[in-house]
Amino acid sequence: MTAGRVVVVLGYSSGDGAELHPVCAARLERAAEVATADDVVVLSGWARTSGRHSEAELMRAAWRGSAREVVVDPDARTTVENMANALNDVLRVGAREVVVVTSSWHAPRAKLALRWLLLHTGVRVRSASPAGRSTRASLREVVLWPLLPFQLWAAGRKSWRP
C-alpha cells in the first residue's frame, strides 16, 4: 500500500475532561482542512487520567475529515513518542510526505523530532497549525527543548531492541 502523505494530529489535554480540550479540537479541525481522501491520518495522544478515553480516541470520535485510513494511537505520552509511533505508519504506507498538525508553538519541536526519526528516508516533513498563540505554552516549550536529544536517543534504543 502506498500513500503519498500521512497527516499526524497531536493531541492536547489538561487531563481533567472527558471531551476534547479546545486546543486539541482546533488541531483536529485544522487536520480536517488539510487531509484528503488519499491521506492516512494518525490521531495520537494518551489518556492522562485512568479510566478515561485517550486524546486519540476522543479525536477519532470527533473526526469529520476525509482520509483513506484513520489510525488511532492511544499510547504516545510525549512528542517523541507521538512521532516514533507515527513513524511505523509512515513507513508502512510508503509515504513521501508527513504533515504534522499541532499548535504553532509546538510545531518546531515536533517537526524536528520526526525529521530526526526519518533521517535518510527522503520523506518530507511539514506542519499545519490552527490560528492562535499561547505565551504560556511557548514558555513551556523552552523548558522542553533540552530534553529532546535524550528522548530521541531513548526512542532510537527502543526501536532497535531485538
Side-chain angles (χ1 to χ4, degrees), residues 22-125:
V23 170
C24 192
R27 291 176 181 181
L28 191 65
E29 183 178 330
R30 181 68 178 125
E33 293 170 359
V34 301
T36 71
D38 295 326
D39 293 335
V40 171
V41 174
V42 177
L43 308 172
S44 186
W46 64 303
R48 293 176 181 258
T49 305
S50 180
R52 301 249 188 206
H53 290 289
S54 69
E55 297 160 19
E57 292 165 328
L58 293 172
M59 285 190 284
R60 180 62 182 115
W63 177 253
R64 300 294 176 257
S66 297
R68 185 180 67 185
E69 176 186 358
V70 177
V71 177
V72 176
D73 170 22
D75 300 321
R77 298 172 62 130
T78 67
T79 299
V80 171
E81 286 180 6
N82 290 129
M83 299 296 94
N85 291 355
L87 176 66
N88 295 325
D89 293 301
V90 171
L91 298 175
R92 173 180 62 85
V93 302
R96 294 181 306 276
E97 180 181 56
V98 180
V99 180
V100 178
V101 182
T102 188
S103 303
S104 60
W105 43 264
H106 184 237
R109 188 165 56 91
K111 285 191 310 185
L112 181 63
L114 187 56
R115 282 184 176 134
W116 179 263
L117 293 168
L118 287 169
L119 201 61
H120 307 300
T121 64
V123 177
R124 291 187 347 225
V125 177

